[in-house]
Amino acid sequence: MKTYDFKNVFIRYVILLSVIMLFIYVCLTIIFNWQVNSEIKESSTKELSSLKASLNEGEIINKGTLYFTLKDNKIMQNKTDASQKTLYAQIVKNKDKNFNWKYDSEVYHINYGKMTDGSKLYSFTNITDYEETKQLLNNLLVLLFIVTVILIVGAAYYIAIKPVRAYEAMLVQHKEFIQNASHELKTPIASLSLGIDYINALEGNSLTEQSRNSLKKMKSEISYAQSLIVKTLNIEINKQTTSTIDISQLLDDVIEQQNGLNDIRIQKDYKDGILYNIDSVIFTQMITILVDNAIKHNESNIQLRISARKTKKGLKVDVEDNGKGIQQDQLNKIFDRYYKVNKEEDGSGIGLHILKSIVSEVNGTISVESSPNKKTRFILNL
């Protein structure tokens, strides 16, 4: 299962929603500007046609109408406030182009047409109000987009945080269930421990050496189970229980327990006195899962080898067997929850998944190498 990356999901939602809104605002801006420009063009064309008709028929032109005529590259009539030099430099040079011209804080749309006498008529349509309206709308859209982005950030956060809230609620329920179940196990396990103590107290002298050893191993397993229960009931403080421990001694204890429970041979490949800072219960749990897994999924006559050594980065522990092995196409699935290489074998398929979760909690890594019908080696780096 992939880890839910809230930061990346939140950023993706912000980008996606922002792009959608930006596209909408750009479309609105383009449509509005196109509509305004169409109205400007239509108004300018009508004014030019009306002006041309009036001049051709010799009618009196309104005083506020701005225009000038050009014949043989000379300005004949100048009914504007601009000088002929300015008109030549900024309007005539554009030849036959229609364009917007800003002059004396006003904006004009310059349009031209030919008169019956062959001269050119340039009309000035004041479009200052149009341009101010366009600028006002553009500024308003920019402001609205900024406000929208702020709202988008809030919406994206709400959408992205919902799975986290749901996961947190589920995690609380999960912890409560485990703690409740673990709490209920305390009494029967404690009863077993007291029963062993009672047998040792009343009949210890009459028991055989083999029986006393069996009871001792049972007591050790019960103590291990009790430590797991205590750790489960104190999930929130697990990270504060690490201390420097003798890894070699813990490995010896695991090997001794497994030898008492199973008829196998476990080879030790490590030196005495390997010290490392880790919770003893967590370390024992990881090694026990690996050994149990090797025993459960192989024949009874397999051989196990446990090696351990300090490295520059920390601690490396290998658990290797000479059993059935695992096919290459299954190696990347064995840590999945409920996955079993052999569906017919007993077991729930959660042991290695739990192991990987524990290793991740202590910032370690677990990997596996296998050759079918030869060996399987789990490499634990802490």
Side-chain angles (χ1 to χ4, degrees), residues 23 34 88 169 193 203 205 231 246 249 253 268 280 364 378:
F23 176 76
W34 175 81
Y88 272 115
S193 180
E203 303 181 17
N205 294 330
K231 185 163 290 294
D246 189 340
Q249 183 60 52
D253 293 341
K268 298 192 297 184
S280 59
F378 284 86

Side-chain angles (χ1 to χ4, degrees), residues 316-343:
K316 181 179 181 181
V317 180
D318 293 353
V319 177
E320 182 177 333
D321 66 69
N322 62 345
K324 298 177 182 178
I326 306 171
Q327 298 294 332
Q328 293 298 313
D329 60 345
Q330 295 179 317
L331 287 178
N332 62 340
K333 302 177 182 178
I334 61 174
F335 294 106
D336 293 346
R337 192 173 183 85
Y338 303 123
Y339 182 80
K340 296 195 295 184
V341 174
N342 188 345
K343 306 297 182 182

Side-chain angles (χ1 to χ4, degrees), residues 21 24 50 61 168 172 175 198 207 217 280 353 359 364:
M21 294 308 301
I24 293 174
S50 176
I61 307 301
E168 289 176 346
V172 170
K175 287 182 178 180
Y198 182 77
L207 294 175
K217 290 175 182 177
S280 59
H353 176 77
V359 173

Side-chain angles (χ1 to χ4, degrees), residues 291-299 302 324 345-349 351:
V291 174
D292 284 343
N293 184 75
I295 296 172
K296 184 185 301 181
H297 299 295
N298 288 292
E299 303 296 336
I302 65 160
K324 298 177 182 178
E345 291 180 349
D346 295 334
S348 60

Side-chain angles (χ1 to χ4, degrees), residues 4-42:
Y4 182 77
D5 192 335
F6 169 77
K7 181 179 179 181
N8 287 337
V9 172
F10 170 69
I11 292 175
R12 284 200 300 269
Y13 275 126
V14 170
I15 293 175
L16 176 62
L17 294 175
S18 297
V19 168
I20 292 174
M21 294 308 301
L22 180 62
F23 176 76
I24 293 174
Y25 282 127
V26 168
C27 289
L28 288 175
T29 302
I30 292 174
I31 292 172
F32 177 78
N33 280 278
W34 175 81
Q35 183 67 33
V36 172
N37 290 335
S38 297
E39 292 181 6
I40 290 174
K41 183 178 179 181
E42 182 180 354

Side-chain angles (χ1 to χ4, degrees), residues 15 17 22 51 113 120 125 220 243 268 279 338 345 350 353 356 379:
I15 293 175
L17 294 175
L22 180 62
L51 180 60
K120 288 184 178 181
T125 303
S220 176
S243 59
K268 298 192 297 184
D279 186 283
Y338 303 123
E345 291 180 349
I350 64 172
H353 176 77
K356 188 170 184 180
I379 304 106

